């Protein structure tokens, strides 16, 4: 069974990049061990609440705790029973596809067939010098390695050649996953080139909404589906997930108040505030929040349903635990997403 399909039911996911917030008083990063334990607890909560997918990101810097998604996901697999487990994302351009496939196939066996991969080019470039790759090859590395990843997924013996990696000649690719093949997605930010590449390989597309009206991303979904159909894939093969910042509370006012603290910290440390040196004002946050999934269960459901009319996606994945958000608040938001938002969306989409 392809675990990404979930019997045709619209799916909900949680993902984390494992950012380490800076303490405003001490100026020090949050303890990495404590942060890792929080992430595992959040995954357990998501599993128990009925969330479909849990993802962990990959960064190679001191202000993020997650650099090895399959290791962390293997720990989560032992503490959960049903939730699917994915990278969010695997920086494929600076990883060896054979090693990535073998790691996630191992995870799939450990988790009884719950592993997935979201591969991406990566928004940060620290992994290129770290692992000895040239930035000039940024695009070609990803395209070539994605093609190889697809081949590894299809056969236990692979013959392949490319320009930037040594060739394979009837190489044995072991172990094989519990699933017939690992569900493979491509993370897409704002480039049509990545969207088309995902379609060409028949992978799912995990589209990050990075701000602004949803309609401005519609051309990426169209480009993805056009490329996939041109490559011979059917509509049923071309899955779209929408990802982005999200926070749910009983009321929209409460959601805005609580999420502002974490979002403003994250903004200052990793987003526009890092460049400008200016903290995020409440007025700026309110403007940005219009385009994010922040609010009451009813408002979040309304936004997802509206996006579904635009994109026809089958999965929504939420990043909630940013900027040092307390685990208690993240827990409440996860449970509201699972128990209130999900039923509203699924009921509306069945009509």
């Amino acid at each position: 069974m392809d675990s990404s399909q979930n019997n045709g039911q619209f799916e909900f996911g949680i993902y984390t990049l494992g950012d380490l917030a800076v303490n405003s008083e001490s100026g020090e990063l949050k303890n990495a061990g404590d942060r890792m334990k929080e992430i595992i607890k959040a995954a357990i909560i998501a599993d128990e609440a009925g969330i479909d997918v849990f993802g962990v990101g990959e960064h190679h810097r001191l202000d993020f705790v997650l650099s090895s998604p399959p290791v962390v996901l293997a720990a989560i697999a032992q503490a959960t029973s049903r939730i699917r487990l994915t990278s969010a994302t695997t920086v494929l351009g600076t990883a060896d596809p054979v090693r990535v496939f073998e790691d996630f196939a191992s995870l799939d066996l450990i988790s009884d067939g719950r592993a997935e991969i979201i591969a991406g080019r990566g928004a940060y470039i620290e992994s290129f010098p770290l692992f000895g790759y040239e930035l000039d090859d940024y695009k070609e590395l990803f395209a070539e390695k994605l093609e190889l990843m697809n081949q590894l997924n299809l056969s236990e013996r692979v013959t392949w050649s490319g320009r930037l990696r040594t060739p394979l000649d009837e190489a044995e690719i072991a172990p094989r996953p519990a699933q017939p093949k690992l569900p493979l997605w491509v993370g897409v930010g704002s480039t049509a080139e990545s969207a088309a590449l995902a379609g060409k390989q028949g992978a799912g597309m995990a589209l990050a909404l990075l701000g602004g009206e949803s309609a401005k991303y519609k051309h990426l979904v169209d480009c993805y589906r056009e490329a996939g159909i041109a490559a011979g894939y059917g509509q049923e093969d071309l899955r779209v997930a929408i990802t982005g910042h999200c926070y749910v509370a009983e009321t929209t006012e409460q959601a805005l108040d609580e999420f502002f603290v974490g979002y403003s910290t994250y903004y200052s440390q990793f987003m526009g505030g890092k460049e400008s040196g200016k903290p995020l004002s409440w007025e700026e946050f309110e403007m940005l929040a219009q385009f994010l999934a922040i609010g009451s269960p009813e408002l979040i459901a309304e936004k997802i349903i509206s996006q579904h009319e635009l994109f026809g996606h089958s999965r929504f994945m939420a990043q909630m635990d940013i900027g040092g958000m307390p685990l208690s608040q993240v827990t409440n938001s996860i449970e509201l997403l699972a128990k209130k938002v999900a039923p509203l969306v699924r009921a509306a989409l069945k009509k």
Side-chain angles (χ1 to χ4, degrees):
M1 172 182 154
D2 183 344
S3 66
S4 66
Q5 294 301 316
N6 198 25
N7 298 318
Q9 179 172 260
F10 190 91
E11 298 174 327
F12 287 84
I14 303 294
Y15 71 99
T16 177
L17 301 184
D19 60 291
L20 292 170
V22 174
N23 184 298
S24 58
E25 295 180 358
S26 67
E28 296 180 354
L29 295 173
K30 186 168 185 172
N31 180 272
D34 291 343
R35 183 73 170 103
M36 192 72 82
K37 291 179 178 67
E38 279 185 357
I39 289 167
I40 295 172
K41 286 179 183 176
I44 295 169
I45 290 160
D47 183 53
E48 293 172 347
I51 293 293
D52 300 295
V53 191
F54 192 86
V56 301
E58 177 188 342
H59 290 86
H60 301 272
R61 344 173 350 157
L62 292 172
D63 47 6
F64 287 91
V65 74
L66 297 171
S67 64
S68 182
V71 172
V72 179
L73 292 171
I76 292 171
Q78 294 296 285
T80 57
S81 61
R82 47 160 298 283
I83 198 165
R84 287 197 294 284
L85 306 168
T86 187
S87 54
T89 63
T90 292
V91 185
L92 193 58
T94 56
D96 184 83
V98 175
R99 178 78 269 175
V100 171
F101 182 86
E102 291 181 343
D103 284 346
F104 278 86
S106 299
L107 171 65
D108 203 48
L109 294 171
I110 290 168
S111 65
D112 294 323
R114 293 187 278 144
E116 300 187 7
I117 301 171
I118 301 177
R121 296 199 296 191
Y124 294 90
I125 59 173
E126 73 277 350
S127 63
F128 281 81
L130 188 64
F131 296 116
Y133 290 94
E134 297 293 334
L135 266 176
D136 290 345
D137 297 326
Y138 180 83
K139 293 181 180 179
E140 189 179 354
L141 276 167
F142 182 68
E144 183 173 289
K145 291 185 176 187
L146 183 64
E147 178 195 355
L148 175 55
M149 179 65 72
N150 224 5
Q151 293 298 312
L152 300 170
N153 219 358
L154 295 175
S155 177
E156 62 185 25
R157 286 179 172 80
V158 174
T159 296
W160 175 92
S161 64
R163 191 180 76 84
L164 298 169
R165 188 203 186 278
T166 53
L168 299 173
D169 182 15
E170 282 295 297
E172 296 183 13
I173 310 301
R176 302 309 298 175
Q179 300 173 84
K181 62 179 183 177
L182 294 172
L184 177 62
W185 302 70
V186 172
V188 175
S190 58
T191 63
E193 186 177 12
S194 292
L197 189 59
K200 181 181 177 182
Q201 294 297 334
M205 180 174 77
L207 175 62
L209 299 194
L210 304 174
E213 294 283 355
S214 296
K216 79 176 190 177
Y217 297 92
K218 177 68 163 54
H219 73 284
L220 295 171
V221 177
D222 293 341
C223 180
Y224 162 68
R225 290 197 172 114
E226 288 167 7
I229 290 168
Y233 295 98
Q235 287 284 5
E236 69 279 2
D237 302 312
L238 302 172
R239 304 151 292 163
V240 175
I242 298 300
T243 76
H245 293 146
C246 170
Y247 188 76
V248 196
E250 292 291 350
T251 67
T252 295
E253 182 180 9
Q254 179 188 352
L256 290 169
D257 286 342
E258 291 179 356
F259 200 58
F260 173 68
V261 179
Y263 191 87
S264 59
T265 299
Y266 192 83
Y267 181 88
S268 296
Q269 195 172 340
F270 301 107
M271 298 168 65
K274 184 176 182 180
E275 297 173 3
S276 68
K278 296 179 181 178
L280 184 70
S281 70
W282 175 260
E283 292 73 22
E284 290 171 322
F285 173 66
E286 281 190 308
M287 290 182 63
L288 290 169
Q290 296 177 60
F291 308 112
L292 303 174
I294 305 170
S296 67
E298 295 76 16
L299 179 61
I300 301 304
E302 199 177 291
K303 287 191 173 187
I304 294 172
I305 293 163
S306 176
Q307 288 175 348
H308 185 269
E309 292 173 359
L310 193 63
F311 302 125
H313 58 303
S314 59
R315 178 182 288 185
F316 172 78
M317 292 191 68
Q319 184 186 6
M320 296 176 171
D321 66 334
I322 63 173
M325 290 288 293
L327 182 60
S328 60
Q329 291 182 351
V330 174
T331 296
N332 186 59
S333 184
I334 290 172
E335 291 179 344
L336 286 171
L337 184 68
K339 303 293 176 57
K340 292 193 174 183
V341 176
L344 287 171
V345 171
R346 288 168 178 160
L349 297 183
K350 282 182 179 179
K351 292 178 181 179

